[in-house]
Structure formats: structure tokens, C-alpha cells
Amino acid sequence: MGLKYSRPKLFPGDILEYPRNKYFSHFGIYYGERDGVPYVAHLTSRDSESKLVLFGRALRSEVKLDPVELVGTKYKVNNMLDGSFPARDFPSLVKPAIDDMLGREVTFDILFHNSEHQATLFRYGVKKSEQIEKVYEHIMPAWKKPFEKRQL
């Protein structure tokens, strides 16, 4: 009761949210256990060699499978779209999709393909980011002129 990060029982396919700052969180999909160690699949730019910080983009990012504790100890289950979309079946759809993405290069883009987009794509088959929708109204005006001048 009243615990923000209370370690709820996890089920394969749950979306784990790791808050990072006031505006953004990092998201992953609970994959299940291997040899008693719980794992999370998440899109990370951690090892990317090409990071374009100004544009919130990282080339050669990838979906990784890491122990939950390695990604972070402060997380919460946030299956945010359960009321709008049915969760896809983990063993037959989500797990094979994660396994297929492991090690593949992906471009991380804060607006168009971030960890929340990847998590909702795995769980629901829908690419959606609620955190970007909240901040986009502030980002859009800053990028409008460079976009129109073809500087982006």
C-alpha cells in the first residue's frame, strides 16, 4: 500500500516502466525467467556508436535481453493500453517477435521509435507512445523552422 515500486508479480508480456526523469521513462517487456533470473527485453541505444543527441536519434540501437535488475531496480508494471487494445498472446506472438528482434540494428528515435513504441508494438501490435504525446506540443514548435528550411 502506497509503495511506488512495490515489485508486483510479473507475467511474461507485461510492460515494465523505468522512470528516468520528469518527462521520460524507459520501457521494456518482461520476458520471463531463465535459470531463475527474470529478464526484460528492451530497445536500448546504450551501445550505439552513432548518437545524434540534437535530434534524439541513435543509429545501430538494438533490442536486448537483460536481467531485470541490470536494467534497474525501480520499475512498475504499466500495461497502459489494456483498456484500448487486447494484449497479444506471449508464447505464440510476443516471444517469437522479441527473439526475432534480438541483435538486429534498429534506429532509436525519441519521437518515432523509442522504447515505449517498441514495448507497445510487442505487447499490443500497436506502436504508441503516451509520453511523447504529452511533450510533442512543446517539441514541435522548436523543430518547425529547421524542418521547413530542410535542415533536419
Side-chain angles (χ1 to χ4, degrees):
M1 288 178 33
L3 298 176
K4 197 170 186 180
Y5 306 100
S6 61
R7 305 291 178 145
K9 179 160 177 51
L10 298 175
F11 297 96
D14 279 345
I15 294 178
L16 302 184
E17 178 181 358
Y18 296 87
R20 296 296 191 225
N21 63 35
K22 181 178 168 182
Y23 301 104
F24 294 105
S25 293
H26 183 71
F27 293 84
I29 292 286
Y30 180 63
Y31 189 82
E33 291 186 1
R34 287 184 169 174
D35 298 323
V37 177
Y39 279 84
V40 63
H42 61 113
L43 176 63
T44 180
S45 59
R46 178 176 63 214
D47 300 329
S48 172
E49 298 166 7
S50 305
K51 294 181 183 176
L52 307 170
V53 179
L54 177 63
F55 304 114
R57 196 169 290 141
L59 309 177
R60 290 191 222 78
S61 298
E62 61 183 305
V63 173
K64 288 196 170 200
L65 195 60
D66 286 320
V68 170
E69 298 293 321
L70 180 68
V71 179
T73 57
K74 294 182 178 177
Y75 62 84
K76 60 185 174 182
V77 173
N78 188 355
N79 297 323
M80 72 283 278
L81 300 178
D82 276 1
S84 303
F85 299 97
R88 300 187 322 152
D89 184 63
F90 185 81
S92 65
L93 295 172
V94 179
K95 186 178 184 298
I98 291 171
D99 292 342
D100 184 55
M101 287 295 295
L102 293 176
R104 288 171 114 193
E105 289 184 1
V106 178
T107 297
F108 177 97
D109 187 295
I110 195 70
L111 289 178
F112 304 111
H113 197 82
N114 61 46
S115 64
E116 186 179 13
H117 286 123
Q118 189 66 60
T120 59
L121 193 56
F122 282 142
R123 181 171 174 86
Y124 305 106
V126 174
K127 192 173 174 179
K128 191 155 176 62
S129 176
E130 292 180 344
Q131 65 184 355
I132 292 303
E133 290 175 10
K134 292 177 188 171
V135 299
Y136 189 73
E137 67 183 81
H138 304 290
I139 295 171
M140 176 43 185
W143 287 3
K144 188 174 182 177
K145 280 187 182 177
F147 187 77
E148 288 172 347
K149 292 179 181 179
R150 299 177 190 256
Q151 295 172 333
L152 289 179

